Amino acid sequence: TFLKAERLDGNIGVLKFNGFGNPKFCASTAIAAVDFLSATDALIIDLRDNNGGDPDMVTLMCSFFFQQRTRLTTMFTRES
């Protein structure tokens, strides 16, 4: 689901991915992409074509942007 990790002029990073896949299969790609873009001065995360996916991958991606544990969401099911 990761389509692009690119550095633009002006040291601007672009990360485009179209889904939050299972981290079991996608974590290494996500880590490599974020590492590649870590020295940029600004970052554009292009989610325009993203159809959602695995909440654990959302958590992994968000972990790159928060230094402390941060509650991002709480999920409930109708049964609970």
Side-chain angles (χ1 to χ4, degrees):
T1 62
F2 285 83
L3 301 177
K4 182 189 302 186
E6 169 181 34
R7 287 187 186 131
L8 303 177
D9 290 340
N11 202 29
I12 298 171
V14 176
L15 179 61
K16 178 173 179 56
F17 56 103
N18 290 349
F20 292 93
N22 184 325
K24 179 178 179 181
F25 306 108
C26 300
S28 60
T29 302
I31 292 165
V34 172
D35 282 348
F36 173 71
L37 298 170
S38 65
T40 58
D41 295 326
L43 179 61
I44 298 167
I45 302 174
D46 186 348
L47 299 174
R48 290 177 291 176
D49 300 313
N50 191 298
N51 293 315
D54 192 318
D56 290 336
M57 190 63 171
V58 175
T59 301
L60 174 67
M61 292 305 296
C62 290
S63 73
F64 296 117
F65 303 99
F66 296 92
Q67 291 182 356
Q68 300 174 6
R69 275 183 80 100
T70 303
R71 180 180 296 272
L72 300 172
T73 186
T74 302
M75 296 177 70
F76 296 95
T77 62
R78 290 179 189 255
E79 292 80 28
S80 64

Coordinates of all heavy atoms in Angstrom, one line a residue:
T1 N 0.8 -1.2 0.0 CA 0.0 0.0 0.0 C 0.8 1.3 0.0 O 0.3 2.3 -0.2 CB -0.9 0.0 1.2 OG1 -0.2 0.0 2.4 CG2 -1.9 -1.2 1.2
F2 N 2.1 1.2 0.2 CA 3.0 2.3 0.2 C 3.4 2.6 -1.2 O 4.0 1.7 -1.9 CB 4.3 2.1 1.1 CG 3.9 2.2 2.6 CD1 3.4 1.2 3.3 CD2 4.1 3.4 3.2 CE1 3.1 1.3 4.6 CE2 3.8 3.6 4.5 CZ 3.3 2.5 5.2
L3 N 3.1 3.7 -1.7 CA 3.3 4.1 -3.1 C 4.5 5.0 -3.4 O 5.1 4.9 -4.4 CB 2.1 4.7 -3.8 CG 0.8 3.8 -3.7 CD1 -0.4 4.6 -4.3 CD2 1.0 2.5 -4.5
K4 N 4.8 5.9 -2.4 CA 5.8 6.9 -2.7 C 6.4 7.4 -1.3 O 5.7 7.7 -0.4 CB 5.2 8.1 -3.4 CG 6.2 9.2 -3.7 CD 5.5 10.4 -4.3 CE 4.6 10.2 -5.5 NZ 4.1 11.4 -6.0
A5 N 7.7 7.4 -1.3 CA 8.5 8.1 -0.3 C 9.5 8.9 -1.1 O 10.4 8.3 -1.7 CB 9.1 7.2 0.7
E6 N 9.4 10.2 -1.1 CA 10.1 11.1 -2.0 C 10.5 12.4 -1.3 O 9.8 12.9 -0.5 CB 9.2 11.3 -3.2 CG 9.7 12.4 -4.2 CD 8.7 12.5 -5.3 OE1 7.5 12.4 -5.1 OE2 9.2 12.8 -6.4
R7 N 11.7 12.9 -1.7 CA 12.1 14.2 -1.2 C 12.0 15.2 -2.4 O 12.5 15.0 -3.5 CB 13.6 14.1 -0.8 CG 13.8 13.4 0.5 CD 15.3 13.6 0.9 NE 15.5 12.8 2.1 CZ 16.5 12.0 2.3 NH1 17.4 11.8 1.3 NH2 16.6 11.3 3.4
L8 N 11.3 16.2 -2.1 CA 11.1 17.3 -3.1 C 12.1 18.4 -2.9 O 12.7 18.5 -1.9 CB 9.6 17.9 -3.0 CG 8.5 16.9 -3.1 CD1 7.2 17.6 -2.9 CD2 8.5 16.2 -4.5
D9 N 12.2 19.3 -3.9 CA 13.0 20.5 -3.7 C 12.6 21.2 -2.4 O 11.4 21.2 -2.0 CB 12.8 21.5 -4.9 CG 13.4 20.9 -6.2 OD1 14.3 20.0 -6.1 OD2 13.0 21.4 -7.2
G10 N 13.5 21.8 -1.8 CA 13.3 22.5 -0.5 C 13.3 21.6 0.7 O 12.8 21.9 1.8
N11 N 13.7 20.3 0.5 CA 13.8 19.3 1.5 C 12.5 19.0 2.2 O 12.3 18.9 3.4 CB 14.8 19.7 2.6 CG 15.3 18.5 3.4 OD1 15.4 17.4 2.9 ND2 15.7 18.8 4.7
I12 N 11.5 18.9 1.3 CA 10.1 18.5 1.7 C 9.9 17.0 1.3 O 10.1 16.6 0.2 CB 9.1 19.4 1.0 CG1 9.3 20.8 1.4 CG2 7.7 18.9 1.3 CD1 8.5 21.8 0.6
G13 N 9.5 16.3 2.3 CA 9.2 14.9 2.1 C 7.7 14.6 1.7 O 6.8 15.3 2.2
V14 N 7.5 13.6 0.9 CA 6.2 13.2 0.6 C 6.1 11.7 0.8 O 6.9 10.9 0.3 CB 5.8 13.5 -0.9 CG1 4.5 12.9 -1.3 CG2 5.9 14.9 -1.2
L15 N 5.0 11.3 1.6 CA 4.8 9.9 1.9 C 3.3 9.6 1.4 O 2.4 10.3 1.9 CB 4.9 9.6 3.3 CG 4.6 8.2 3.8 CD1 5.6 7.2 3.1 CD2 4.8 8.0 5.3
K16 N 3.2 8.8 0.4 CA 1.8 8.4 -0.1 C 1.6 6.9 0.2 O 2.4 6.1 -0.3 CB 1.7 8.8 -1.5 CG 0.3 8.4 -2.1 CD 0.1 8.9 -3.5 CE -1.2 8.5 -4.1 NZ -2.4 8.9 -3.4
F17 N 0.5 6.6 0.8 CA 0.1 5.2 0.9 C -1.4 5.1 0.9 O -2.1 6.0 1.4 CB 0.7 4.5 2.1 CG 0.5 5.2 3.5 CD1 -0.4 4.6 4.3 CD2 1.2 6.3 3.9 CE1 -0.6 5.2 5.6 CE2 1.0 6.8 5.1 CZ 0.1 6.3 6.0
N18 N -1.9 4.1 0.3 CA -3.3 3.9 0.0 C -4.1 3.0 0.9 O -5.2 2.6 0.6 CB -3.5 3.5 -1.4 CG -3.2 4.6 -2.4 OD1 -3.0 5.8 -2.0 ND2 -3.1 4.3 -3.7
G19 N -3.5 2.6 2.0 CA -4.1 1.7 3.0 C -3.3 1.5 4.1 O -2.0 1.6 4.1
F20 N -3.9 1.1 5.3 CA -3.2 0.8 6.5 C -3.2 -0.8 6.6 O -4.1 -1.3 7.1 CB -3.8 1.4 7.7 CG -3.7 2.9 7.8 CD1 -4.7 3.7 7.2 CD2 -2.6 3.5 8.3 CE1 -4.6 5.1 7.3 CE2 -2.4 4.9 8.4 CZ -3.4 5.7 7.9
G21 N -2.2 -1.4 5.9 CA -2.2 -2.8 5.9 C -1.8 -3.4 7.3 O -1.4 -2.7 8.2
N22 N -1.8 -4.7 7.3 CA -1.4 -5.4 8.5 C 0.0 -5.2 8.8 O 0.9 -5.4 8.0 CB -1.7 -6.9 8.3 CG -1.4 -7.8 9.6 OD1 -0.5 -7.5 10.3 ND2 -2.2 -8.8 9.7
P23 N 0.4 -4.7 10.0 CA 1.8 -4.4 10.3 C 2.7 -5.6 10.2 O 3.9 -5.4 10.0 CB 1.7 -3.8 11.8 CG 0.3 -3.7 12.2 CD -0.5 -4.3 11.1
K24 N 2.1 -6.8 10.4 CA 2.9 -8.0 10.3 C 3.6 -8.0 8.9 O 4.7 -8.5 8.8 CB 2.0 -9.2 10.4 CG 2.7 -10.5 10.3 CD 1.7 -11.7 10.5 CE 2.4 -13.0 10.3 NZ 1.5 -14.1 10.5
F25 N 2.9 -7.4 7.9 CA 3.5 -7.5 6.5 C 4.0 -6.1 6.1 O 4.9 -6.0 5.2 CB 2.4 -7.9 5.5 CG 1.8 -9.2 5.9 CD1 0.5 -9.3 6.4 CD2 2.5 -10.4 5.8 CE1 -0.1 -10.5 6.7 CE2 1.9 -11.6 6.1 CZ 0.6 -11.6 6.6
C26 N 3.5 -5.0 6.7 CA 3.9 -3.7 6.2 C 4.8 -2.9 7.1 O 5.3 -1.8 6.7 CB 2.6 -2.9 6.0 SG 1.4 -3.6 4.9
A27 N 5.0 -3.3 8.3 CA 5.8 -2.5 9.3 C 7.2 -2.2 8.8 O 7.7 -1.0 8.9 CB 5.9 -3.2 10.6
S28 N 7.9 -3.1 8.2 CA 9.3 -2.9 7.8 C 9.3 -1.8 6.6 O 10.2 -1.0 6.6 CB 10.0 -4.2 7.3 OG 9.3 -4.7 6.2
T29 N 8.3 -1.8 5.8 CA 8.2 -0.8 4.7 C 7.9 0.5 5.3 O 8.5 1.5 4.9 CB 7.1 -1.2 3.7 OG1 7.5 -2.5 3.1 CG2 7.0 -0.2 2.6
A30 N 7.0 0.6 6.2 CA 6.7 1.9 6.9 C 7.9 2.5 7.6 O 8.1 3.7 7.5 CB 5.5 1.7 7.9
I31 N 8.6 1.6 8.3 CA 9.8 2.1 9.0 C 10.8 2.6 8.1 O 11.4 3.7 8.3 CB 10.3 1.0 10.0 CG1 9.3 0.7 11.1 CG2 11.7 1.3 10.5 CD1 9.5 -0.6 11.8
A32 N 11.0 1.9 7.0 CA 12.0 2.3 6.0 C 11.6 3.6 5.4 O 12.5 4.5 5.2 CB 12.2 1.2 4.9
A33 N 10.4 3.8 5.1 CA 9.9 5.0 4.4 C 10.0 6.2 5.4 O 10.5 7.3 5.0 CB 8.4 4.9 4.0
V34 N 9.7 6.1 6.6 CA 9.8 7.1 7.6 C 11.2 7.5 7.9 O 11.6 8.6 8.0 CB 9.0 6.8 8.9 CG1 9.2 7.9 9.9 CG2 7.5 6.7 8.6
D35 N 12.1 6.4 8.0 CA 13.5 6.7 8.1 C 14.1 7.5 7.0 O 14.9 8.4 7.2 CB 14.3 5.4 8.3 CG 14.2 4.7 9.7 OD1 13.7 5.4 10.6 OD2 14.5 3.6 9.8
F36 N 13.7 7.1 5.8 CA 14.2 7.8 4.6 C 13.8 9.3 4.6 O 14.6 10.2 4.2 CB 13.6 7.2 3.3 CG 13.9 7.9 2.1 CD1 15.2 7.9 1.5 CD2 12.9 8.5 1.4 CE1 15.4 8.6 0.3 CE2 13.1 9.2 0.2 CZ 14.4 9.2 -0.3
L37 N 12.6 9.6 5.2 CA 12.1 11.0 5.2 C 12.4 11.7 6.5 O 12.1 12.9 6.6 CB 10.6 11.0 4.9 CG 10.2 10.4 3.6 CD1 8.7 10.2 3.5 CD2 10.7 11.3 2.4
S38 N 13.1 11.1 7.4 CA 13.3 11.7 8.7 C 14.1 13.0 8.8 O 13.9 13.8 9.7 CB 13.9 10.7 9.7 OG 15.2 10.3 9.3
A39 N 14.9 13.2 7.8 CA 15.8 14.4 7.8 C 15.2 15.6 7.0 O 15.8 16.6 6.8 CB 17.2 14.1 7.3
T40 N 13.9 15.4 6.6 CA 13.3 16.5 5.8 C 12.8 17.6 6.8 O 12.6 17.4 8.0 CB 12.1 16.0 5.0 OG1 11.2 15.3 5.8 CG2 12.6 15.0 3.9
D41 N 12.6 18.8 6.2 CA 12.2 19.9 7.0 C 10.7 20.0 7.1 O 10.1 20.6 8.0 CB 12.7 21.2 6.4 CG 14.2 21.3 6.4 OD1 14.8 20.9 7.4 OD2 14.8 21.9 5.5
A42 N 10.0 19.3 6.2 CA 8.5 19.3 6.3 C 8.1 18.0 5.7 O 8.8 17.3 4.9 CB 7.9 20.4 5.5
L43 N 6.9 17.5 6.0 CA 6.4 16.2 5.5 C 5.0 16.3 5.1 O 4.1 16.8 5.8 CB 6.6 15.1 6.6 CG 6.1 13.7 6.2 CD1 6.9 13.2 5.0 CD2 6.2 12.8 7.4
I44 N 4.7 15.9 3.9 CA 3.3 15.8 3.4 C 3.0 14.3 3.4 O 3.7 13.5 2.8 CB 3.2 16.3 1.9 CG1 3.6 17.8 1.9 CG2 1.8 16.1 1.4 CD1 3.8 18.3 0.5
I45 N 1.9 14.0 4.1 CA 1.4 12.6 4.1 C 0.1 12.6 3.2 O -0.9 13.2 3.6 CB 1.1 12.1 5.5 CG1 2.4 12.2 6.4 CG2 0.6 10.7 5.5 CD1 2.2 11.9 7.8
D46 N 0.2 12.0 2.1 CA -0.9 12.0 1.1 C -1.8 10.8 1.4 O -1.4 9.6 1.1 CB -0.3 11.9 -0.3 CG -1.4 12.1 -1.4 OD1 -2.6 11.9 -1.0 OD2 -1.0 12.3 -2.5
L47 N -3.0 11.0 2.0 CA -3.9 10.0 2.3 C -5.2 10.1 1.4 O -6.2 9.5 1.7 CB -4.3 10.0 3.8 CG -3.2 9.9 4.8 CD1 -3.7 10.1 6.2 CD2 -2.6 8.5 4.6
R48 N -5.1 10.8 0.3 CA -6.3 11.1 -0.5 C -7.0 9.8 -1.0 O -8.2 9.8 -1.1 CB -6.0 12.0 -1.7 CG -5.6 13.4 -1.2 CD -5.2 14.3 -2.4 NE -3.9 13.8 -2.9 CZ -3.3 14.3 -3.9 NH1 -3.9 15.2 -4.7 NH2 -2.1 13.8 -4.3
D49 N -6.2 8.8 -1.3 CA -6.7 7.6 -1.9 C -6.7 6.5 -0.9 O -6.9 5.3 -1.2 CB -6.0 7.2 -3.1 CG -6.1 8.2 -4.2 OD1 -7.2 8.7 -4.5 OD2 -5.0 8.6 -4.8
N50 N -6.5 6.8 0.4 CA -6.4 5.8 1.4 C -7.8 5.3 1.8 O -8.7 6.1 2.1 CB -5.7 6.4 2.7 CG -5.3 5.3 3.7 OD1 -6.1 4.7 4.2 ND2 -4.0 5.2 3.9
N51 N -8.0 4.0 1.8 CA -9.3 3.4 2.2 C -9.3 2.8 3.6 O -10.2 2.0 3.9 CB -9.6 2.3 1.2 CG -9.8 2.9 -0.2 OD1 -10.5 3.9 -0.4 ND2 -9.2 2.3 -1.2
G52 N -8.4 3.2 4.5 CA -8.4 2.8 5.8 C -7.7 1.4 5.9 O -6.8 1.1 5.2
G53 N -8.1 0.7 7.0 CA -7.4 -0.6 7.1 C -7.2 -1.0 8.6 O -8.1 -0.7 9.4
D54 N -6.1 -1.6 8.9 CA -5.8 -2.2 10.2 C -5.4 -1.1 11.2 O -4.5 -0.3 11.0 CB -4.6 -3.1 10.0 CG -4.4 -4.0 11.2 OD1 -4.5 -3.5 12.4 OD2 -4.1 -5.2 11.0
P55 N -6.2 -1.0 12.3 CA -5.9 0.0 13.3 C -4.5 -0.1 13.9 O -4.0 0.9 14.4 CB -7.0 -0.2 14.4 CG -8.1 -1.0 13.7 CD -7.4 -1.8 12.6
D56 N -4.0 -1.3 14.0 CA -2.6 -1.4 14.5 C -1.6 -0.7 13.6 O -0.6 -0.2 14.1 CB -2.2 -2.9 14.6 CG -3.0 -3.6 15.8 OD1 -3.5 -2.9 16.7 OD2 -3.2 -4.8 15.7
M57 N -1.8 -0.7 12.3 CA -0.9 0.1 11.4 C -1.1 1.6 11.6 O -0.1 2.3 11.5 CB -1.2 -0.3 10.0 CG -0.2 0.2 9.0 SD 1.5 -0.5 9.4 CE 2.4 0.1 8.0
V58 N -2.3 2.0 11.9 CA -2.6 3.4 12.2 C -1.7 3.8 13.4 O -1.1 4.8 13.4 CB -4.1 3.7 12.4 CG1 -4.3 5.2 12.9 CG2 -4.9 3.4 11.2
T59 N -1.8 3.0 14.4 CA -1.0 3.2 15.7 C 0.5 3.2 15.4 O 1.2 4.1 15.9 CB -1.3 2.1 16.7 OG1 -2.7 2.1 17.0 CG2 -0.6 2.3 18.0
L60 N 1.0 2.3 14.6 CA 2.4 2.3 14.2 C 2.7 3.6 13.5 O 3.7 4.3 13.9 CB 2.7 1.2 13.3 CG 4.2 1.2 12.8 CD1 5.2 0.9 13.9 CD2 4.4 0.1 11.7
M61 N 2.0 4.1 12.5 CA 2.3 5.3 11.8 C 2.3 6.5 12.7 O 3.1 7.4 12.7 CB 1.3 5.5 10.6 CG 1.5 4.5 9.5 SD 3.2 4.3 8.9 CE 3.4 6.0 8.2
C62 N 1.3 6.6 13.6 CA 1.2 7.7 14.5 C 2.3 7.7 15.5 O 2.8 8.8 16.0 CB -0.2 7.7 15.3 SG -1.6 8.0 14.2
S63 N 2.9 6.5 15.8 CA 3.9 6.5 16.8 C 5.2 7.2 16.4 O 6.0 7.6 17.2 CB 4.3 5.0 17.1 OG 5.0 4.4 16.1
F64 N 5.3 7.4 15.1 CA 6.5 8.2 14.6 C 6.4 9.7 14.9 O 7.4 10.4 14.8 CB 6.6 8.0 13.1 CG 6.9 6.6 12.6 CD1 6.0 5.9 11.9 CD2 8.1 6.0 13.0 CE1 6.3 4.6 11.5 CE2 8.4 4.7 12.6 CZ 7.5 4.0 11.9
F65 N 5.2 10.2 15.3 CA 4.9 11.6 15.4 C 4.6 12.0 16.8 O 4.4 13.2 17.1 CB 3.8 12.0 14.5 CG 4.1 11.7 13.0 CD1 3.6 10.5 12.5 CD2 5.0 12.5 12.3 CE1 3.9 10.2 11.1 CE2 5.3 12.2 11.0 CZ 4.7 11.0 10.4
F66 N 4.6 11.1 17.8 CA 4.4 11.4 19.2 C 5.5 10.9 20.0 O 5.9 9.7 19.9 CB 3.1 10.8 19.7 CG 1.8 11.3 19.0 CD1 1.3 10.7 17.8 CD2 1.2 12.5 19.4 CE1 0.2 11.2 17.2 CE2 0.1 13.0 18.8 CZ -0.4 12.3 17.7
Q67 N 6.0 11.8 20.9 CA 7.1 11.3 21.8 C 6.6 10.6 23.0 O 7.3 9.8 23.6 CB 8.0 12.5 22.2 CG 8.7 13.1 21.1 CD 9.6 14.3 21.6 OE1 9.5 14.7 22.7 NE2 10.4 14.9 20.7
Q68 N 5.4 10.9 23.5 CA 4.8 10.3 24.6 C 3.6 9.4 24.2 O 3.0 9.7 23.2 CB 4.3 11.3 25.6 CG 5.4 12.2 26.1 CD 4.8 13.3 27.0 OE1 3.7 13.3 27.3 NE2 5.7 14.3 27.4
R69 N 3.3 8.5 25.1 CA 2.0 7.7 24.8 C 0.9 8.7 24.7 O 0.7 9.5 25.6 CB 1.7 6.7 25.9 CG 2.4 5.4 25.8 CD 2.0 4.5 26.9 NE 0.7 3.9 26.7 CZ 0.6 2.7 26.3 NH1 1.6 1.9 26.0 NH2 -0.6 2.1 26.1
T70 N 0.1 8.6 23.7 CA -1.0 9.5 23.4 C -2.2 8.8 23.0 O -2.1 8.0 22.0 CB -0.6 10.5 22.3 OG1 0.6 11.2 22.7 CG2 -1.6 11.6 22.0
R71 N -3.3 9.0 23.7 CA -4.5 8.3 23.3 C -5.0 8.9 22.0 O -5.2 10.1 21.9 CB -5.6 8.4 24.3 CG -6.9 7.7 23.9 CD -8.0 7.8 24.9 NE -7.7 7.2 26.2 CZ -7.9 5.9 26.4 NH1 -8.5 5.1 25.5 NH2 -7.6 5.4 27.6
L72 N -5.2 8.1 20.9 CA -5.6 8.6 19.6 C -7.0 8.3 19.4 O -7.7 9.1 18.7 CB -4.7 8.0 18.5 CG -3.2 8.3 18.7 CD1 -2.5 7.4 17.6 CD2 -3.0 9.7 18.4
T73 N -7.5 7.2 19.9 CA -8.9 6.8 19.6 C -9.3 5.7 20.6 O -8.4 5.1 21.2 CB -9.0 6.2 18.2 OG1 -10.3 5.9 17.9 CG2 -8.1 5.0 18.0
T74 N -10.5 5.5 20.7 CA -11.1 4.4 21.5 C -12.2 3.8 20.6 O -13.0 4.5 20.0 CB -11.8 5.0 22.8 OG1 -10.8 5.7 23.6 CG2 -12.3 3.8 23.6
M75 N -12.1 2.5 20.5 CA -13.0 1.8 19.7 C -14.0 1.0 20.5 O -13.6 0.3 21.5 CB -12.3 0.8 18.7 CG -11.4 1.6 17.8 SD -10.5 0.5 16.7 CE -11.7 -0.1 15.6
F76 N -15.3 1.0 20.2 CA -16.3 0.2 20.8 C -17.1 -0.5 19.8 O -17.2 -0.1 18.6 CB -17.3 1.2 21.6 CG -16.7 1.9 22.7 CD1 -16.2 3.2 22.5 CD2 -16.6 1.4 23.9 CE1 -15.7 3.9 23.5 CE2 -16.0 2.1 25.0 CZ -15.6 3.4 24.8
T77 N -17.6 -1.7 20.2 CA -18.5 -2.4 19.3 C -19.9 -2.3 19.9 O -20.1 -2.0 21.1 CB -18.1 -3.9 19.2 OG1 -18.2 -4.5 20.5 CG2 -16.7 -4.1 18.7
R78 N -20.9 -2.5 19.1 CA -22.3 -2.4 19.6 C -22.5 -3.4 20.8 O -23.3 -3.1 21.7 CB -23.3 -2.7 18.5 CG -23.3 -1.6 17.5 CD -24.3 -2.0 16.4 NE -24.2 -1.1 15.3 CZ -25.1 -0.1 15.0 NH1 -26.1 0.0 15.8 NH2 -24.9 0.7 14.1
E79 N -21.9 -4.6 20.7 CA -22.1 -5.6 21.8 C -21.5 -5.1 23.1 O -22.0 -5.5 24.1 CB -21.4 -6.9 21.3 CG -22.1 -7.6 20.2 CD -21.6 -7.0 18.8 OE1 -20.5 -6.5 18.7 OE2 -22.5 -7.1 17.9
S80 N -20.5 -4.3 23.1 CA -19.9 -3.9 24.3 C -20.4 -2.5 24.8 O -20.0 -2.0 25.8 CB -18.4 -3.8 24.2 OG -18.0 -2.9 23.3

